[in-house]
Amino acid sequence: MNSGNADKGSALYVAMLSAVAALGGLLFGYDTAVIAGAIGFLRTHFALDAASTGWAASSALLGCLVGAGIAGYTADRIGRKKALLTAAVLYVVSGVWSALPSTIAEFSVARILGGIGIGTASVVCPLYIAEISPAGRRGRLVTFNQLAIVIGILVVYFVNYFIAGLGSDSWNASTGWRWMFGSAAIPATVFFFLTLLIPESPRWLAEHGRHDEARETLVRVGGSVQADAELAAITEALREEPVSFSGLLQPGFRTAFLIAAVMAILQQVTGINVFMYYTPEIFKQVGSGTNTALLETISVGGMNLLFTLVALRLVDRFGRKPLMIIGAAGMTLAHAGLGIAAYNNILGTWVLILVLGFIAFFAMSLGPIVWIIIAEVFPTRIRGRGMAIASLLLWGTNYVVSQTFPMINESPWLVATFGHAFPFMLYGSFCLLTVFFVLAVVPETKGKSLEEIEKLWKR
Ligand code: BGC
């Protein structure tokens, strides 16, 4: 990719590189949410019980955990670009393979491989975008990554709906689901070839002594004056001593770590991905046919995108804290409503409205803001590690919630006692807890520079 001029650099060039990296985020959304349209058919095809259904839906997330865990190391060893290419290859292989399996074990292996790609991309895509962009535009880019994720989710909901419409329920149970997973190979292949065209991150190049190549990219991004200044700053930063893992728990860093870790876990125990991955099944449970359920799922994806855009507009004006409090309070009420509806067997439109309300409140608050918090609360010297651990906790919790949902939703004892209300009561309690945690512990970081945020923890 070649554009830009030596004196001023090119905003278009940065935008193009960021767009390629953001495609990795889009695939993150696509590959995790593809399960929504397929899980019911997969269940019929392989005659799965509740625990194996949970496993089929969540095995990829175990791969994500591994991918996110090794992504920092991989990106440092082989470079950001090769790490992204590896993720792209894993996406393609997993897409094709998960369309072909004859056993659920084989399917899970294929999904775990793809998960490693997703986990890697979830760390390296924002990292690459942050490293390639000039300081002034860096903050907004984290939110663009979230935007890419929710667009990926919406696109795959459409694809699932389209594929399911090609045949009957029995055709979908034998063949349709295979096309749903296989379809992921197409955007993954595009991602692979586009990634071949982007340059390696200048930070990584400079770290490996390749200053001339690093400067070349920096010039194209920001012009020659800025390139020299940035290269000097990078070299300076590389001289700082790294902080050990236990350093994360030093007094000055402890609160930052606590906030990022707890918010990562809370984002997931709200049950968001129960809706992202199981929505069609929930809608079928309350009386919708397959087609209607998938159409309703598209409206969930649309709402998610719409309110992510709302968050983008509000987060720097309104602040993180008020949005999170309003969001988590709204999510608590939506869960309460869903619990009441499930307990009293109220079916139909009410359920759709409550689910859409829940999604809107999540997308305008915890969805993007938790990722912003994870990216901005850590002091520079521990940011990489801190972000990696917080992402690991987020994926780990996502795995636990997605694996256990069918089990608690179908547990005879829980159903006999609470109807189908128990999962909503459980997730709703965590939403309420989030309101209190944000109120009591999380400081407002709107408009503060990263250095000012660092000072908050020193008090
Ligand atoms: C979460 C994902 C979720 C997505 C939904 C993200 O912030 O981390 O787990 O699937 O939002 O939009």
Side-chain angles (χ1 to χ4, degrees):
M1 282 191 186
N2 226 330
S3 89
N5 94 34
D7 295 327
K8 295 206 301 275
S10 161
L12 182 67
Y13 185 62
V14 186
M16 271 172 359
L17 300 185
S18 305
V20 173
L23 205 53
L26 191 137
L27 283 163
F28 160 170
Y30 195 106
D31 266 23
T32 47
V34 63
I35 201 74
I39 189 70
F41 304 128
L42 213 59
R43 185 165 196 176
T44 313
H45 184 77
F46 290 112
L48 305 175
D49 64 11
S52 339
T53 304
W55 170 240
S58 65
S59 48
L61 302 173
L62 219 52
C64 294
L65 201 68
V66 176
I70 59 173
Y73 178 78
T74 319
D76 284 342
R77 266 314 273 261
I78 63 175
R80 283 56 167 143
K81 179 172 170 169
K82 286 196 185 131
L84 287 176
L85 286 171
T86 310
V89 171
L90 286 167
Y91 277 138
V92 177
V93 172
S94 162
V96 174
W97 193 8
S98 57
L100 304 172
S102 43
T103 63
I104 194 70
E106 203 187 320
F107 170 80
S108 310
V109 175
R111 287 288 288 163
I112 289 174
L113 273 187
I116 299 177
I118 304 171
T120 304
S122 76
V123 175
V124 183
C125 294
L127 179 73
Y128 180 86
I129 296 176
E131 288 189 338
I132 199 94
S133 44
R137 266 173 280 158
R138 198 169 299 150
R140 295 209 60 163
L141 292 163
V142 183
T143 8
F144 280 129
N145 200 55
Q146 173 74 10
L147 201 58
I149 297 171
V150 299
I151 292 174
I153 295 176
L154 182 58
V155 171
V156 77
Y157 285 169
F158 269 111
V159 171
N160 283 345
Y161 175 68
F162 173 76
I163 292 174
L166 296 176
S168 63
D169 273 5
S170 72
W171 175 82
N172 275 304
S174 66
T175 314
W177 64 268
R178 297 182 185 275
W179 285 104
M180 294 178 185
F181 290 108
S183 70
I186 299 169
T189 308
V190 174
F191 177 51
F192 178 82
F193 285 109
L194 287 179
T195 303
L196 284 177
L197 302 177
I198 63 176
E200 180 49 86
S201 143
R203 258 96 191 151
W204 187 83
L205 288 169
E207 206 176 339
H208 289 76
R210 291 158 64 176
H211 290 91
D212 292 346
E213 288 166 76
R215 186 171 184 281
E216 219 173 280
T217 304
L218 286 171
V219 169
R220 269 193 249 157
V221 166
S224 43
V225 178
Q226 195 179 316
D228 289 327
E230 289 219 16
L231 203 55
I234 294 171
T235 320
E236 177 70 36
L238 287 175
R239 262 189 232 123
E240 276 191 27
E241 254 183 72
V243 179
S244 67
F245 265 108
S246 53
L248 283 175
L249 297 175
Q250 276 170 28
F253 301 153
R254 207 182 289 153
T255 319
F257 184 68
L258 173 85
I259 290 172
V262 173
M263 289 311 297
I265 293 172
L266 284 176
Q267 190 205 48
Q268 294 296 321
V269 289
T270 58
I272 177 61
N273 285 313
V274 163
F275 294 105
M276 290 294 127
Y277 308 158
Y278 292 103
T279 292
E281 298 315 300
I282 298 178
F283 287 142
K284 281 186 220 167
Q285 189 174 307
V286 297
S288 303
T290 298
N291 251 12
T292 317
L294 290 179
L295 208 55
E296 287 166 337
T297 305
I298 292 180
S299 64
V300 166
M303 193 62 122
N304 195 17
L305 173 59
L306 187 70
F307 276 82
T308 302
L309 291 170
V310 170
L312 287 191
R313 289 199 67 88
L314 295 184
V315 72
D316 282 324
R317 223 181 303 160
F318 230 66
R320 282 79 166 131
K321 237 179 133 150
L323 282 183
M324 285 200 291
I325 293 166
I326 296 170
M331 289 156 71
T332 310
L333 292 178
H335 269 314
L338 282 165
I340 294 171
Y343 189 76
N344 296 300
N345 276 320
I346 299 170
L347 308 179
T349 318
W350 273 112
V351 175
L352 179 64
I353 292 172
L354 287 166
V355 170
L356 289 176
F358 175 87
I359 300 297
F361 281 118
F362 175 86
M364 60 162 270
S365 64
L366 299 188
I369 298 177
V370 167
W371 286 105
I372 295 180
I373 289 187
I374 292 178
E376 73 181 7
V377 292
F378 292 110
T380 306
R381 291 166 64 213
I382 57 163
R383 186 166 305 128
R385 266 158 225 242
M387 282 178 74
I389 297 181
S391 315
L392 262 180
L393 288 170
L394 191 140
W395 283 117
T397 315
N398 187 355
Y399 168 72
V400 173
V401 174
S402 309
Q403 165 72 66
T404 51
F405 170 70
M407 294 151 82
I408 55 177
N409 189 40
E410 292 166 32
S411 144
W413 182 77
L414 289 173
V415 174
T417 320
F418 303 103
H420 282 287
F422 184 77
F424 304 116
M425 291 160 58
L426 180 68
Y427 307 139
S429 320
F430 286 124
C431 294
L432 190 61
L433 187 69
T434 307
V435 176
F436 292 121
F437 183 79
V438 173
L439 267 174
V441 184
V442 182
E444 180 55 77
T445 47
K446 170 191 83 170
K448 292 195 166 62
S449 73
L450 293 176
E451 289 67 32
E452 286 166 337
I453 294 176
E454 187 166 344
K455 282 195 197 115
L456 289 174
W457 318 129
K458 300 259 158 75
R459 282 201 213 121

